[in-house]
Amino acid sequence: QVQLQESGPGLVKPSQTLSLTCTVSGGSISSGDYYWSWIRQPPGKGLEWIGYIYYSGSTYYNPSLKSRVTISVDTSKNQFSLKLSSVTAADTAVYYCARDREGAAFDPWGQGTLVTVSS
Amino acid sequence: QSALTQPASVSGSPGQSITISCTGTSSDVGGYNYVSWYQQHPGKAPKLMIYDVSKRPSGVSDRFSGSKSGNTASLTISGLQTEDEAGYYCCSYAGSSPVVFGGGTKLTVL
């Protein structure tokens, strides 16, 4: 079955850019049946959708983060990536990647990776 | 894009049924049949329990059911079990601002 795995630095300095990659295994990101999402969860708080990408490169972002977010896809590596610029402590969170089977139905999810913003 | 409204906590005894509400607007919950529910145990990734308002993914117990009336969606868990104790989040497609989550509800099984 399809599995997702996040990777990237666990510590980012304020004002820098957070960069994460999600590697998809057990299925092709180019299948065309799904969108590929990033979702985050600050410690002790709720879930926040960041954005998603289609294999063709079409993207949709959370309006509250749109000015700082870029999501890209590399179909040759079966990966998609997140860049979040100008980070502050408020961006400290567990970042998840997930597959959207359409209509905001996220399944499966990666295990999540904690990113801390601190100097 | 405001978060959907969920109760902060609900509780029930083993064997009982509970319902968690999720209130949005006509731009999200009320406008589309695209409401999903997620179960999250501490330290774990969320798990899809309900999608398209009332559909269950393969492998999810039929004790979990979903419904919607107007701008409010609901998740009902029947025959509560201790392993159901977890956080639950609703989520809705919202058109031009595609996805919005609820604030989450902590279920305690007494």
Side-chain angles (χ1 to χ4, degrees):
Chain A
Q1 73 278 19
V2 172
Q3 293 183 313
L4 289 77
Q5 177 69 59
E6 306 88 353
S7 59
L11 181 64
V12 181
K13 289 182 167 52
S15 80
Q16 293 190 342
T17 296
L18 178 160
S19 297
L20 296 173
T21 296
C22 182
T23 300
V24 180
S25 59
S28 173
I29 206 168
S30 302
S31 67
D33 295 328
Y34 305 100
Y35 287 86
W36 303 90
S37 273
W38 287 99
I39 296 160
R40 70 180 183 178
Q41 185 172 35
K45 296 187 178 180
L47 300 166
E48 179 180 33
W49 178 74
I50 299 170
Y52 53 41
I53 191 165
Y54 195 55
Y55 80 98
S56 63
S58 298
T59 53
Y60 301 86
Y61 299 136
N62 185 326
S64 67
L65 298 170
K66 187 175 182 178
S67 64
R68 299 194 292 129
V69 173
T70 302
I71 297 176
S72 58
V73 65
D74 187 336
T75 54
S76 67
K77 295 182 178 179
N78 225 30
Q79 295 175 334
F80 62 107
S81 298
L82 169 70
K83 291 188 185 297
L84 181 65
S85 64
S86 304
V87 297
T88 69
D91 295 309
T92 294
V94 175
Y95 285 76
Y96 296 99
C97 57
R99 184 182 71 175
D100 181 2
R101 58 194 293 171
E102 188 183 359
F106 301 102
D107 178 54
W109 296 58
Q111 65 183 28
T113 186
L114 175 62
V115 179
T116 301
V117 178
S118 175
S119 56
Chain B
Q1 187 194 43
S2 299
L4 307 176
T5 301
Q6 298 181 233
S9 63
V10 297
S11 63
S13 300
Q16 288 186 332
S17 295
I18 63 94
T19 296
I20 300 171
S21 62
C22 170
T23 301
T25 69
S26 58
S27 297
D28 38 62
V29 173
Y32 307 92
N33 287 322
Y34 287 137
V35 177
S36 53
W37 289 89
Y38 302 86
Q39 177 191 65
Q40 186 180 35
H41 288 107
K44 300 295 186 181
K47 175 186 176 183
L48 179 67
M49 305 302 285
I50 296 288
Y51 68 101
D52 293 354
V53 176
S54 60
K55 297 178 181 177
R56 273 189 312 274
S58 174
V60 172
S61 171
D62 60 4
R63 298 186 299 105
F64 292 82
S65 62
S67 62
K68 188 184 85 166
S69 178
N71 296 337
T72 298
S74 299
L75 172 71
T76 297
I77 309 173
S78 60
L80 268 180
Q81 299 179 0
T82 55
E83 57 261 39
D84 298 332
E85 184 163 298
Y88 290 86
Y89 293 89
C90 64
C91 180
S92 176
Y93 178 73
S96 58
S97 302
V99 178
V100 60
F101 280 97
T105 298
K106 178 175 171 52
L107 168 62
T108 301
V109 181
L110 304 169

